[in-house]
Amino acid sequence: RINKQRLWDSLMEMGEIGGTEKGGCCRLALTDLDKQGRDLFVKWCEEAGCSITVDKMGNIFARRPGKDNSLAPVAVGSHLDTQPTGGKFDGVYGVLAGLEIFRTLNEQGIETTTPLETVAWTNEEGSRFPPAMVSSGVFAGAFDLEYGLSRADLDGKTMGEELQRIGYAGEAEVGNHPFKAFFEAHIEQGPILEDEHKQIGVVTDAQGQRWYEITLTGQESHAGPTPMPSRRDALVGAARIVDMVNRIGMDNQPNACATVGLMQVFPNSRNVIPGQVFFTVDFRHPDAEVLEKMDQALREEAARIVEELKLEMAFEQIWYSPPVPFAQQCVASVRKAAEELELSHREMVSGAGHDACYIARVAPTSMVFVPCEKGISHNELERADADDLAAGCNVLLKAVLEHANA
Amino acid sequence: RINKQRLWDSLMEMGEIGGTEKGGCCRLALTDLDKQGRDLFVKWCEEAGCSITVDKMGNIFARRPGKDNSLAPVAVGSHLDTQPTGGKFDGVYGVLAGLEIFRTLNEQGIETTTPLETVAWTNEEGSRFPPAMVSSGVFAGAFDLEYGLSRADLDGKTMGEELQRIGYAGEAEVGNHPFKAFFEAHIEQGPILEDEHKQIGVVTDAQGQRWYEITLTGQESHAGPTPMPSRRDALVGAARIVDMVNRIGMDNQPNACATVGLMQVFPNSRNVIPGQVFFTVDFRHPDAEVLEKMDQALREEAARIVEELKLEMAFEQIWYSPPVPFAQQCVASVRKAAEELELSHREMVSGAGHDACYIARVAPTSMVFVPCEKGISHNELERADADDLAAGCNVLLKAVLEHANA
Ligand SMILES: NC(=O)NCCC(=O)O
Ligand SMILES: NC(=O)NCCC(=O)O
């Protein structure tokens, strides 16, 4: 059994780096704070006897040797970056759960057959540098390295530059690094486990997602003397698309999600008709066909709206992450661990994307979910219970040992 | 007759301060660039033999003595600040037309009975510090000094602090400074004069306006695992209000204008349901009753929308500038000047607010409009014709002389 208090204390200590007044965390990928978080993780892993490798995408691999170090490691991990108004658990839990497993095994003097690794993947959130999960994506061959390093934030800074700046542009090639199996522990980020009073989510699948960037261009002009009928107001167009995106989500219930999370208005002055609006769309569904139907609806209706308002539109799907079925043998190990530990559990589909979704392409993979309060995540109020976090970590430990010693 | 080329050259020289690549100007109120613009204006006025007074709101009064300096001056003027993506003419023309009149009178050795003044009013645009026309408003007693100095930008910097910083927090009390008459020359900022091939707008009235600030609060949460039916998406609410504001404008045609020009989304991350949106509304109409009806519709429909979406709303009307009828004797002087100069002209209502709207409360006031290309203003592409600008300046000169020598 892992040490519940030690896991909790490490989560709280990591959460102080970028900690916010409301009790959340703001540690955007590749900022100075992200560097501080990485440094702390590396220090802890070295203290636990691990060797550290950093690859060219800044992914950190902390390795605990096994009896036969020629075998591929069993790996766990998640991410240390957060949303701008993020919590202390999203991602960080999966990384520190891996560290807690190492500490527990050390304490008990347990040696596994294969080596073990805990991985901290770079920029999972995709908030500063879209898309999400980009570095596990490069690792799994979903993107090439050049694409990964050239992802840019809204100020034009690239991941490559920022990795150099914070000293985490590693030497190791990205990928070509086989895992015997990969497990990711994570808070659910949704309400199902809490609603059903279950402690463990046995994650069988992850839903697919499509991300879009849309720029509408009209003509900025004076809000006073410019007659309504001759306006080309880009914000009116964006507003209609936001409402329509929301309706597409509602029309495809249950399960569809549709969100406009980011919008920038130019020139953003009270008495100027907006000449340009940039915004994003995030569509999700477990079924690729429904996602395709949502895509079609978005394209058709957006085209109709911009025509009606005489706007120009630049429309780009910048990311497609297809629905992911996790490996049956790994799902089975998670279920079995929950059963043996007599923890209440249910199968579930992940609503969020996770690094595990890409790693599933190159290694047998699955995930362990634990409840998060009221299903609230990507919010400073995100909270998880120390008992639940410990339960998930014990499930992770059991699943890892099963594969590492098989 | 004024010197067309000299007027044009001064406009272009002033336009270089904050000049943009697209040929526009970005010289927001009380920035370093605004200071540079003010310094140049003051230098030019001193070279033209004027004495300078700056009041506590940073309004600059350049005075050309008359035969009887105990008489109240006849004044002209406008503003030197611009929109973030503004042009070279909005406001600046009215200030430099005053300077050009002084230069012309000097050249011809003409002395007027009353003194003359050219005024540069602080922060007319209201873009950095809402509301618009705030310093002419304090001058005219529409606001008190404390209100004026405490206006803050989105970073929380106040006009008082910024006036100190750039060295334009003058000593003179604001107001208690009688004008015999006040005239403001301005580009029309709308399409009417150009469409009707008229060179001069004889401005009889200005429409009223109401400005609002609205903050919607929902709950930020993860765009993936948060089911649509349980969301409280502040941007969906804002989008519906933007569309509804636009409809209120359309429903009150002809003449109504309704604009959402500024919007800020929090936390503004692609995969986070927006928890808070701040935006502004700008309503205009020449008839105060219609404006009242629009206000009512906005309040009712916004309340319905936020209830439906389970959002909270902070709603504030931050500014009301009632419709302004200009003084008949001043309007008549402008019309007479246009007639004597054989310039094509028509009467019109100003769609924009102007410093003249507040000065009309304390002095006989009117305005002279000249065409602007395609009616486009508050845009870097704003353009006016040198002949039209000269024509408007000649009308201004004649109207001023009529009152200064009467
Ligand atoms: N787990 C998580 O929050 N991932 C971010 C990527 C996504 O938006 O699904
Ligand atoms: N003339 C002008 O652009 N004034 C700014 C205030 C307004 O929005 O009407």
Side-chain angles (χ1 to χ4, degrees):
Chain A
R1 296 298 171 92
I2 63 90
N3 184 327
K4 173 173 100 176
Q5 190 63 42
R6 184 170 56 196
L7 173 59
W8 181 261
D9 291 344
S10 296
L11 281 163
M12 293 306 106
E13 191 173 337
M14 182 62 81
E16 276 169 27
I17 302 172
T20 64
E21 266 180 34
K22 288 190 191 165
C25 192
C26 174
R27 200 169 55 233
L28 294 173
L30 308 189
T31 55
D32 291 350
L33 289 170
D34 188 19
K35 176 187 163 46
Q36 282 179 46
R38 288 162 174 264
D39 288 350
L40 180 61
F41 171 66
V42 166
K43 182 183 133 233
W44 280 339
C45 289
E46 285 174 343
E47 286 168 2
C50 295
S51 60
I52 302 291
T53 305
V54 180
D55 73 15
K56 290 181 173 171
M57 286 302 298
N59 299 315
I60 305 171
F61 302 78
R63 184 179 176 103
R64 181 177 189 269
K67 290 181 195 140
D68 182 350
N69 291 307
S70 69
L71 296 172
V74 173
V76 300
S78 190
H79 59 96
L80 292 172
D81 65 312
T82 78
Q83 289 286 330
T85 56
K88 291 195 173 86
F89 305 95
D90 172 2
V92 188
Y93 169 55
V95 176
L96 298 188
L99 172 67
E100 176 53 35
I101 286 176
F102 291 177
R103 288 170 167 171
T104 301
L105 295 175
N106 289 349
E107 228 166 34
Q108 321 226 332
I110 296 173
E111 204 179 4
T112 53
T113 307
T114 73
L116 303 183
E117 287 187 358
T118 295
V119 191
W121 303 104
T122 297
N123 181 40
E124 190 268 354
E125 294 290 356
S127 176
R128 180 173 177 203
F129 303 99
M133 299 126 62
V134 66
S135 307
S136 49
V138 175
F139 182 89
F143 309 120
D144 58 30
L145 179 62
E146 208 180 322
Y147 174 88
L149 293 175
S150 63
R151 293 310 85 209
D153 67 11
L154 291 174
D155 296 332
K157 289 188 190 138
T158 65
M159 286 187 65
E161 289 159 16
E162 289 291 273
L163 279 168
Q164 290 287 354
R165 191 183 65 78
I166 68 165
Y168 275 89
E171 303 272 289
E173 294 307 321
V174 187
N176 265 327
H177 182 120
F179 295 143
K180 186 171 182 206
F182 182 79
F183 295 93
E184 181 168 356
H186 209 283
I187 55 168
E188 178 197 342
Q189 309 187 281
I192 299 171
L193 291 175
E194 187 182 73
D195 283 355
E196 301 190 3
H197 304 287
K198 297 271 160 49
Q199 206 165 18
I200 298 294
V202 177
V203 186
T204 58
D205 298 84
Q207 60 184 351
Q209 43 187 316
R210 289 174 184 262
W211 282 16
Y212 304 85
E213 291 185 351
I214 302 179
T215 303
L216 300 186
T217 305
Q219 178 157 58
E220 62 224 46
S221 193
H222 197 304
T226 310
M228 298 294 294
S230 65
R231 294 178 174 208
R232 294 170 56 219
D233 185 330
L235 184 55
V236 172
R240 290 188 189 166
I241 294 177
V242 168
D243 197 30
M244 178 264 284
V245 161
N246 185 65
R247 199 182 36 63
I248 291 176
M250 288 299 204
D251 284 351
N252 289 281
Q253 288 306 303
N255 293 332
C257 283
T259 310
V260 176
L262 184 153
M263 181 176 284
Q264 293 182 307
V265 178
F266 304 94
N268 219 28
S269 179
R270 293 156 200 260
N271 42 2
V272 183
I273 299 162
Q276 193 162 78
V277 179
F278 170 80
F279 60 103
T280 60
V281 176
D282 174 320
F283 274 167
R284 316 217 178 186
H285 201 279
D287 179 341
E289 267 177 49
V290 180
L291 214 45
E292 170 91 36
K293 210 180 85 185
M294 292 165 70
D295 174 89
Q296 209 109 82
L298 173 63
R299 286 173 198 269
E300 279 168 25
E301 302 196 37
R304 192 181 43 68
I305 288 168
V306 301
E307 196 190 320
E308 205 172 293
L309 295 169
K310 296 189 219 76
L311 302 173
E312 274 135 48
M313 174 164 68
F315 182 106
E316 196 187 352
Q317 178 184 304
I318 61 153
W319 187 41
Y320 174 49
S321 169
V324 177
F326 287 118
Q328 290 193 14
Q329 77 268 36
C330 290
V331 173
S333 308
V334 171
R335 187 188 304 108
K336 195 173 125 209
E339 276 164 7
E340 288 177 5
L341 291 162
E342 295 182 357
L343 300 168
S344 58
H345 60 278
R346 62 161 280 166
E347 296 200 343
M348 55 196 313
V349 174
S350 174
H354 294 285
D355 293 304
C357 297
Y358 279 131
I359 304 311
R361 298 190 182 192
V362 290
T365 295
S366 76
M367 297 189 69
V368 183
F369 275 0
V370 296
C372 82
E373 198 179 298
K374 292 190 187 128
I376 294 170
S377 182
H378 286 192
N379 186 312
E380 290 165 88
L381 303 179
E382 177 185 278
R383 254 189 284 277
D385 182 84
D387 287 326
D388 295 339
L389 295 167
C393 191
N394 279 318
V395 169
L396 192 70
L397 172 60
K398 261 193 178 297
V400 163
L401 288 180
E402 181 190 332
H403 287 257
N405 293 328
Chain B
R1 296 297 170 93
I2 63 90
N3 183 327
K4 174 173 101 175
Q5 191 62 43
R6 183 169 57 197
L7 172 60
W8 181 261
D9 291 344
S10 296
L11 282 164
M12 293 306 108
E13 191 173 337
M14 182 62 82
E16 276 168 27
I17 303 173
T20 65
E21 265 180 34
K22 289 191 190 164
C25 193
C26 174
R27 200 168 54 232
L28 293 173
L30 309 189
T31 55
D32 292 349
L33 289 170
D34 187 18
K35 174 186 163 50
Q36 282 179 46
R38 288 163 173 265
D39 288 349
L40 180 61
F41 171 65
V42 165
K43 182 184 132 232
W44 279 341
C45 289
E46 285 174 342
E47 286 167 4
C50 295
S51 60
I52 302 292
T53 305
V54 180
D55 73 15
K56 291 181 173 171
M57 287 301 297
N59 299 314
I60 306 171
F61 302 78
R63 185 179 175 103
R64 181 178 190 268
K67 289 181 195 140
D68 183 350
N69 290 308
S70 70
L71 295 174
V74 173
V76 300
S78 191
H79 60 95
L80 292 172
D81 67 312
T82 79
Q83 290 286 329
T85 56
K88 291 196 172 85
F89 304 96
D90 172 2
V92 188
Y93 168 55
V95 175
L96 298 188
L99 172 67
E100 176 53 34
I101 285 176
F102 291 176
R103 287 170 167 171
T104 301
L105 295 176
N106 288 348
E107 228 168 35
Q108 320 227 334
I110 296 173
E111 204 179 4
T112 53
T113 307
T114 72
L116 303 183
E117 287 188 357
T118 295
V119 191
W121 303 103
T122 297
N123 181 40
E124 190 269 353
E125 293 291 356
S127 177
R128 180 174 175 203
F129 304 98
M133 298 127 61
V134 65
S135 307
S136 49
V138 175
F139 182 90
F143 309 119
D144 58 31
L145 179 63
E146 208 180 322
Y147 174 88
L149 293 176
S150 63
R151 291 312 85 208
D153 66 12
L154 291 174
D155 295 333
K157 288 187 190 140
T158 64
M159 286 188 64
E161 289 158 18
E162 289 292 272
L163 279 168
Q164 290 287 352
R165 191 183 65 80
I166 68 166
Y168 275 89
E171 302 272 291
E173 293 306 320
V174 187
N176 265 327
H177 182 119
F179 295 142
K180 188 172 181 206
F182 181 79
F183 294 95
E184 181 168 357
H186 209 283
I187 54 169
E188 179 198 342
Q189 309 187 283
I192 299 172
L193 291 175
E194 188 182 72
D195 284 354
E196 300 190 2
H197 304 286
K198 297 271 158 53
Q199 207 165 19
I200 298 294
V202 178
V203 187
T204 58
D205 299 84
Q207 60 184 351
Q209 44 188 316
R210 288 174 185 263
W211 282 16
Y212 304 85
E213 290 184 353
I214 301 179
T215 303
L216 300 185
T217 306
Q219 178 158 57
E220 64 226 45
S221 193
H222 197 305
T226 311
M228 297 293 295
S230 67
R231 294 178 173 208
R232 295 169 55 219
D233 185 330
L235 184 55
V236 171
R240 291 189 188 166
I241 294 178
V242 168
D243 197 30
M244 178 264 283
V245 161
N246 185 65
R247 200 183 36 62
I248 291 175
M250 288 300 205
D251 285 351
N252 289 282
Q253 290 303 305
N255 294 331
C257 284
T259 311
V260 175
L262 184 152
M263 181 176 285
Q264 293 182 308
V265 178
F266 304 94
N268 219 29
S269 179
R270 293 155 200 260
N271 42 0
V272 183
I273 299 161
Q276 193 161 78
V277 179
F278 170 81
F279 60 102
T280 61
V281 176
D282 173 320
F283 274 168
R284 315 217 178 185
H285 202 278
D287 179 341
E289 267 177 47
V290 179
L291 214 46
E292 169 91 36
K293 211 180 85 182
M294 292 165 69
D295 174 88
Q296 208 109 83
L298 173 63
R299 285 173 198 270
E300 278 168 25
E301 301 197 38
R304 192 182 43 69
I305 288 168
V306 301
E307 197 191 319
E308 204 171 294
L309 295 170
K310 297 189 220 72
L311 303 172
E312 273 135 47
M313 175 165 67
F315 182 106
E316 196 187 351
Q317 178 183 303
I318 61 153
W319 187 42
Y320 174 49
S321 169
V324 178
F326 288 118
Q328 289 193 15
Q329 76 269 36
C330 291
V331 173
S333 309
V334 172
R335 188 187 304 106
K336 195 171 127 213
E339 276 163 8
E340 287 176 7
L341 291 163
E342 294 182 359
L343 300 168
S344 58
H345 59 277
R346 62 161 278 166
E347 296 200 343
M348 56 197 311
V349 174
S350 173
H354 295 285
D355 294 304
C357 297
Y358 279 131
I359 304 310
R361 297 189 181 192
V362 290
T365 296
S366 76
M367 297 189 70
V368 183
F369 274 1
V370 296
C372 83
E373 199 178 295
K374 293 191 187 125
I376 293 171
S377 181
H378 287 192
N379 187 312
E380 291 164 87
L381 303 178
E382 178 186 277
R383 254 190 284 278
D385 182 84
D387 288 326
D388 294 340
L389 295 167
C393 192
N394 278 319
V395 169
L396 191 70
L397 172 59
K398 261 194 177 297
V400 163
L401 289 180
E402 181 191 331
H403 287 257
N405 293 329

